[in-house]
Amino acid sequence: VSIAPGAQRVSNVGLSLSISETGSVSDLALPAELATATRNCISAAVSKWSFPVAEAASELEYAISLRSN
């Protein structure tokens, strides 16, 4: 896909996260249609996320927006 100079492309990506009791991301599911480089980039970033310590593990859906420059 070609994007005109100066134009932006915005894509929303749904993430499915599993969060452990300690607040770390224990599992991440991404849409299969994402390019491998995009999947790797998102996975690397999300692996650094931390959440508050909780009594039980949890799962959540979260959307992020990706914008081209």
Side-chain angles (χ1 to χ4, degrees):
V1 173
S2 178
I3 300 173
Q8 269 195 352
R9 181 176 178 162
V10 177
S11 297
N12 293 315
V13 178
L15 311 177
S16 296
L17 302 168
S18 296
I19 312 300
S20 72
E21 297 90 344
T22 63
S24 64
V25 177
S26 58
D27 192 33
L28 168 65
L30 296 167
E33 66 271 9
L34 288 177
T36 301
T38 303
R39 293 175 66 83
N40 292 343
C41 181
I42 292 171
S43 294
V46 171
S47 71
K48 297 174 187 172
W49 291 2
S50 62
F51 295 84
V53 174
E55 291 182 19
S58 60
E59 295 186 11
L60 63 101
E61 302 286 323
Y62 191 77
I64 59 172
S65 293
L66 304 176
R67 292 182 176 88
S68 64
N69 287 330

